């Protein structure tokens, strides 16, 4: 009897852990990007998995800064992004699941709307699924910058 209860408890724990891990691994959804220098929210993005298995991210909302100014176009960006509205702009492309590390994503490209630069990108979702460490770099990852994004449960701020 006790053995059966222990077995059922262990199976329940394994299935619960599996469900938790599946949630935590998901990069899909809405994320609030945070300015690493000021701590202010910059954008609300939606990340979706594409039919080819890669992930892309589109800005769905831009926040005003502490002075009440909202960056609305990608004025410093290279073509074809130059002077495009930021809302609706795809700034994350080609991210893939990292086969070597769970909850990690590699081989992407990240467009920084403030500087207009395009970086190589990788990301890692926290175990609780609430934070995304997004790293942009040129050349090797060691010479990059990491921003922490916060998961949002809704499409609007």
């Amino acid at each position: 009897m006790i053995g059966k209860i222990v077995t059922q408890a262990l199976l329940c724990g394994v299935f619960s852990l599996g469900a938790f891990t599946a949630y935590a691994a998901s990069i899909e959804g809405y994320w609030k990007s945070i300015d690493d220098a000021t701590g202010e929210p910059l954008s609300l993005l939606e990340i979706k998995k594409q039919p080819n298995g890669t992930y892309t991210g589109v800005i769905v909302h831009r926040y005003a800064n502490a002075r009440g100014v909202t960056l609305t176009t990608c004025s410093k960006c290279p073509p074809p992004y130059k002077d495009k509205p930021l809302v609706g702009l795809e700034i994350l492309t080609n991210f893939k699941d990292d086969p070597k590390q769970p909850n990690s994503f590699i081989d992407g490209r990240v467009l920084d709307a403030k500087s207009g630069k395009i970086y190589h990108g990788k990301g890692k979702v926290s175990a609780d699924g609430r934070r995304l460490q997004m790293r942009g770099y040129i050349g090797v990852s060691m010479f990059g910058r990491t921003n922490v994004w916060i998961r949002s449960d809704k499409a609007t701020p």
Side-chain angles (χ1 to χ4, degrees):
M1 176 74 170
I2 291 177
K4 186 176 180 181
I5 292 171
V6 169
T7 302
Q8 287 175 343
L10 285 174
L11 284 175
C12 184
V14 168
F15 287 129
S16 296
L17 181 61
F20 175 75
T21 302
Y23 173 74
S26 176
I27 195 172
E28 289 185 278
Y30 294 97
W31 295 92
K32 187 184 295 186
S33 66
I34 307 295
D35 186 307
D36 58 339
T38 66
E40 295 177 337
L42 296 172
S43 298
L44 184 64
L45 295 102
E46 181 179 18
I47 299 177
K48 291 183 182 179
K49 190 169 192 174
Q50 301 304 306
N52 68 0
T54 65
Y55 298 89
T56 59
V58 174
I59 296 175
V60 296
H61 178 77
R62 283 293 293 181
Y63 295 94
N65 65 18
R67 296 182 314 270
V69 177
T70 304
L71 184 63
T72 58
T73 61
C74 207
S75 59
K76 295 181 180 179
C77 295
Y81 307 104
K82 179 108 176 111
D83 297 324
K84 299 285 185 189
L86 289 178
V87 173
L89 190 64
E90 185 175 83
I91 65 164
L92 299 179
T93 57
N94 296 324
F95 278 80
K96 302 174 193 157
D97 292 296
D98 185 343
K100 296 178 183 176
Q101 293 189 6
N103 305 342
S104 296
F105 304 87
I106 57 173
D107 297 336
R109 297 286 179 268
V110 180
L111 171 64
D112 179 356
K114 284 174 66 175
S115 71
K117 294 181 180 175
I118 298 175
Y119 297 97
H120 295 280
K122 65 182 186 176
K124 181 166 180 72
V125 178
S126 63
D128 66 2
R130 303 302 304 161
R131 296 186 183 279
L132 170 61
Q133 290 182 349
M134 184 59 68
R135 185 155 186 84
Y137 57 94
I138 295 175
V140 292
S141 177
M142 184 171 70
F143 299 113
R145 193 174 93 205
T146 300
N147 286 5
V148 176
W149 296 3
I150 309 299
R151 187 178 293 278
S152 177
D153 296 328
K154 54 186 177 176
T156 57

